[in-house]
Amino acid sequence: MNIIITGAAGLLGSHISRHLLSKGHKIIGIDNFFGGYKDFLPKHNNFEFYNLNLEKDIQGITDIFEKHGPEVVYHFAAYAAEGLSPFIRNFNYTNNVLASVNVINACIKYKSKLIFTSSMAVYGNQQPPFTETLPQKPIDPYGIAKYTVEMDILTAHEQFDLRYNIIRPHNVLGIYQNIWDRYRNVIGIFIRKTLNEEPILVYGDGEQTRAFSDIKYYIEPFDRLLTDKFNGELFNIGADKYFTLNEVAETVQLIGLKYGYSASIQHGAPRHEAKHAYCDHTKAKNMLGFKDETNLVELIESLFVWAMNQPNRKVKNIEYELTDGMYEYWQ
Ligand SMILES: NC(=O)c1ccc[n+]([C@@H]2O[C@H](COP(=O)([O-])OP(=O)(O)OC[C@H]3O[C@@H](n4cnc5c(N)ncnc54)[C@H](O)[C@@H]3O)[C@@H](O)[C@H]2O)c1
């Protein structure tokens, strides 16, 4: 198949691209390197890449669809900084909603099947584990953006017969992850801090719970979505087992010590976030053959070792649209 993967230089995009290339598909990657890196792109004869901003370059998107006539589009591109999203509302909606709308338009026009990664942020602060049947109650602009795109896809399905599936992943970990972003990927931030022997900063009391999973368990379900057997379905994917952020911080600290890096653990002001957030994955297990056997300690150690061998990339600051209520650690 000819398959477009947006966000190909990011965590999910780079892994799913590699997998689908290994199965003989032609992959057309799109990314603007806002959150991913050129080094993370696969090097393969069947991989063609376009450096393009999905928010703005509608003609560029049309040209790519016209040239390649993709059967399937995995739309991963996004800036998934949930905690920062209230301070970059305009950018958040432009990046997460309008860029997605440009992809949706092209999928309708070229009759491509769309696989969209939403987020468990759509559930907000409800009682976990979240099942797909819960009403969406996002508590921040990032969650609202994902919810909006889900609704837009649903209406495109009903009116234009757009074929689609939506995955709501959560807390995925793996190599080719951006650990140089100050605003997102808690374990990536803890690892970078430890490698620089700076304090690991836990927001709030650290008793928030999250479930982290290895990217390798995402490959099979994403692969199965290629077929038309699944259409109009919504799945949670991620780990069942959850940990407190204090436990995670201590794990990273211990792994750091094992490799000769010493970092203290400190606590900062609590963030506006769901206290406990993890999902039920029964549907993906039953329908997509999903199984998660993540060993978090081993997974963090493998990521730590990978990070040790990465260049010390620059950590960028993002221009805030609002500074009201901005946390001290992001000032
Ligand atoms: N990783 C997770 O734990 C997780 C959890 C929930 C949802 N998701 C969703 O899954 C998707 C992939 O996440 P990821 O972890 O791979 O993120 P990532 O940041 O590693 O990759 C996203 C990629 O999209 C690119 N991108 C961003 N804006 C773009 C634009 N305007 N034009 C072109 N490219 C652009 C970035 O440069 C980056 O390479 C995202 O939609 C995210 O919201 C991820």
Side-chain angles (χ1 to χ4, degrees):
M1 286 188 193
N2 280 358
I3 300 170
I4 287 184
I5 298 198
T6 75
L11 175 65
L12 280 154
S14 64
H15 283 267
I16 305 296
S17 292
R18 280 176 173 79
H19 168 73
L20 295 175
L21 285 164
S22 77
K23 302 260 305 236
H25 298 291
K26 159 116 187 163
I27 302 299
I28 300 102
I30 299 177
D31 207 293
N32 68 347
F33 304 119
F34 183 82
Y37 295 94
K38 211 172 247 173
D39 291 350
F40 296 175
L41 292 171
K43 291 165 191 63
H44 195 286
N45 286 343
N46 262 342
F47 182 72
E48 194 166 330
F49 180 70
Y50 295 86
N51 181 345
L52 175 147
N53 186 346
L54 293 162
E55 295 160 23
K56 300 195 169 103
D57 195 351
I58 295 173
Q59 187 58 50
I61 297 171
T62 306
D63 292 347
I64 294 170
F65 274 72
E66 182 70 37
K67 179 171 174 202
H68 296 284
E71 280 104 317
V72 178
V73 176
Y74 286 83
H75 177 41
F76 295 128
Y79 184 52
E82 185 173 4
L84 185 65
S85 65
F87 304 101
I88 52 165
R89 282 191 133 73
N90 187 305
F91 177 74
N92 167 72
Y93 290 119
T94 306
N95 176 273
N96 280 298
V97 179
L98 295 185
S100 298
V101 165
N102 292 336
V103 174
I104 293 167
N105 273 342
C107 286
I108 295 171
K109 197 165 163 198
Y110 290 89
K111 309 213 176 309
S112 311
K113 178 176 181 179
L114 174 64
I115 294 161
F116 173 63
T117 38
S118 179
S119 167
M120 77 166 171
V122 298
Y123 297 117
N125 216 351
Q126 302 184 67
Q127 178 67 40
F130 309 135
T131 54
E132 290 89 346
T133 50
L134 276 180
Q136 294 95 330
K137 288 188 180 172
I139 59 166
D140 49 53
Y142 171 71
I144 295 169
K146 290 294 191 185
Y147 177 31
T148 304
V149 177
E150 285 190 3
M151 291 300 106
D152 193 71
I153 290 172
L154 194 65
T155 59
H157 173 69
E158 286 164 2
Q159 186 171 359
F160 300 109
D161 216 14
L162 172 72
R163 289 167 301 125
Y164 80 95
N165 290 299
I166 294 172
I167 297 282
R168 292 175 179 160
H170 59 103
N171 303 99
V172 195
L173 282 181
I175 63 167
Y176 309 130
Q177 179 146 45
N178 186 342
I179 62 161
W180 300 271
D181 190 314
R182 2 179 355 208
Y183 308 105
R184 65 187 179 129
N185 298 334
V186 58
I187 292 184
I189 296 173
F190 288 177
I191 289 176
R192 174 170 47 76
K193 292 280 183 185
T194 306
L195 285 171
N196 291 327
E197 301 199 284
E198 292 169 14
I200 296 171
L201 185 70
V202 179
Y203 308 137
D205 65 6
E207 290 305 299
Q208 307 93 305
T209 49
R210 298 289 184 270
F212 300 91
S213 53
D214 192 324
I215 180 87
K216 72 180 177 208
Y217 298 116
Y218 280 68
I219 304 294
E220 175 67 22
F222 272 110
D223 184 315
R224 289 208 196 180
L225 294 177
L226 273 179
T227 70
D228 268 340
K229 189 174 161 201
F230 302 104
N231 183 12
E233 294 288 348
L234 174 66
F235 300 96
N236 290 330
I237 297 194
D240 293 329
K241 198 167 173 202
Y242 54 87
F243 296 85
T244 68
L245 293 191
N246 286 327
E247 290 171 319
V248 170
E250 283 157 21
T251 303
V252 176
Q253 185 185 45
L254 279 175
I255 290 168
L257 285 174
K258 180 172 169 186
Y259 290 91
Y261 298 90
S262 170
S264 62
I265 297 176
Q266 291 181 5
H267 288 262
R271 252 181 32 186
H272 176 76
E273 62 179 348
K275 181 86 181 175
H276 302 291
Y278 43 91
C279 295
D280 176 278
H281 308 106
T282 310
K283 185 176 177 188
K285 286 175 189 169
N286 290 341
M287 288 175 67
L288 295 179
F290 173 62
K291 69 170 190 293
D292 173 81
E293 291 173 358
T294 298
N295 177 322
L296 189 59
V297 178
E298 283 175 17
L299 176 60
I300 295 178
E301 182 165 353
S302 65
L303 196 54
F304 195 93
V305 171
W306 172 78
M308 278 167 62
N309 294 307
Q310 288 296 301
N312 203 357
R313 296 187 166 90
K314 198 168 176 300
V315 177
K316 71 177 169 190
N317 291 317
I318 294 203
E319 202 173 317
Y320 306 141
E321 296 161 20
L322 273 180
T323 48
D324 307 53
M326 176 56 80
Y327 314 111
E328 199 183 320
Y329 37 79
W330 283 349
Q331 278 167 13

